[in-house]
Amino acid sequence: MTSVATLPARDPAARRPVPRRYLMCRPDHFDVTYAINPWMDTADPVNRTRALAQWEALRVAYEGRGHRVDVIEPVAGLPDMVFAANGGLAIGERALSARFANPERAQEGPAYHGWMAAQCFTSVARARETNEGEGDFAIAPDRILAGTGFRSARGAHQEVAEYFGLPVVSLDLVDPRFYHLDTALMVLDDTIAYYPAAFSGTSARLLASLYPDAIIATEADANVLGLNGVCDGYHVFLSDRAVDLAAQLRARGYEPVGIDLSELLKSGGSVKCCTMEWHSVRTAVASETD
Ligand code: ARG
């Protein structure tokens, strides 16, 4: 299943934003009432008003740069539903809704499934295996990178490869602070950015061979979830605390857009966690058609 072809590097001066379609969920019910990752401390109160303002600023940042943002109705009693990335995967005409690892989030699967079923996909399925959506599946132009170790099952990688008909590369996560792939790795335009220490030695070596031009994040940037960002081909929306990463991105021709999501960080989430992308097929199979 491992495809080793790499994408040709793009001229940094030629980077352009491509309009995207994102799904977000207002943090109307956001809270930290349970702890299912090391970032969550139920004794540390959440300021929901501030969370709402920060979330709104992210939405405005996307829309202001030409992206379409759909919003799913938040459900009371599901405080983590704001993390739309976990709701499933949507590529072209096909969507797969999530199956969560923890019972606290289980009901989010049907909620996101309902949204998908109401869109114009030709096929919408529920994951059979434990699958936390874009939290553990990064859709790169030439392949899907998939994480396992804390949440999504390895069997979900095979299921996703079959359902979407795309190559999937499995990666082992080993540090509980980086419990989802999207906390340790971000897809850029023609390469990725990642934090090698979040991966097993074998997986880190595999990433190094697949992406020799990758941006390697510092520990400080990884620790503020700076890698939990969203790239539109030119802009990179990411935590405003990830200052080294922003500088590295700028040096490669990207335009970092710093976002303050400090309230969401209390639950272990940042920009990407709040964003599910409805990927165009063109993006997913670029290397096969170019
Ligand atoms: N509190 C949530 C959890 O632990 C945060 C999810 C963040 N989402 C993500 N895509 N990394 O499940």
Side-chain angles (χ1 to χ4, degrees), residues 213-233:
D213 293 340
I215 292 179
I216 303 299
T218 60
E219 184 176 6
D221 284 347
N223 280 338
V224 293
L225 294 187
L227 287 162
N228 195 248
V230 169
C231 179
D232 65 13

Side-chain angles (χ1 to χ4, degrees), residues 240-261:
D240 60 354
R241 299 179 181 186
V243 287
D244 296 337
L245 190 52
Q248 291 197 77
L249 288 164
R250 206 170 271 120
R252 300 282 194 103
Y254 296 96
E255 179 68 31
V257 180
I259 307 284
D260 175 12
L261 285 180

Side-chain angles (χ1 to χ4, degrees), residues 30-32 34-40 79-87 100 102 105 108 132-136 151 178-184 225 228 264-275:
F30 175 61
D31 205 346
V32 177
Y34 50 78
I36 54 172
N37 71 53
W39 302 83
M40 303 174 84
D80 275 338
M81 194 173 163
V82 59
F83 301 117
N86 297 129
F100 284 83
N102 296 286
R105 300 194 66 185
E108 293 181 45
E132 297 204 351
E134 286 197 306
D136 277 322
R151 300 290 180 86
F178 307 108
Y179 56 94
H180 275 141
L181 181 67
D182 72 359
T183 62
L225 294 187
N228 195 248
L264 284 304
L265 192 61
K266 293 177 180 174
S267 192
S270 189
V271 173
K272 174 61 204 172
C273 298
C274 293
T275 315

Side-chain angles (χ1 to χ4, degrees), residues 9-72:
R10 200 189 295 278
D11 172 7
R15 297 199 198 286
R16 299 283 178 272
V18 176
R20 309 281 172 138
R21 237 183 122 163
Y22 298 131
L23 175 65
M24 297 179 70
C25 179
R26 275 174 61 87
D28 287 352
H29 308 291
F30 175 61
D31 205 346
V32 177
T33 57
Y34 50 78
I36 54 172
N37 71 53
W39 302 83
M40 303 174 84
D41 176 359
T42 54
D44 187 8
V46 161
N47 182 330
R48 195 176 292 148
T49 306
R50 194 180 299 148
L52 279 159
Q54 293 175 342
W55 179 92
E56 187 59 30
L58 176 60
R59 187 166 74 123
V60 165
Y62 285 146
E63 290 180 344
R65 286 163 185 82
H67 304 301
R68 169 171 168 180
V69 178
D70 290 335
V71 175
I72 183 176

Side-chain angles (χ1 to χ4, degrees), residues 96-114:
L96 186 67
S97 63
R99 180 179 296 274
F100 284 83
N102 296 286
E104 293 89 342
R105 300 194 66 185
Q107 289 312 309
E108 293 181 45
Y112 280 96
H113 188 89

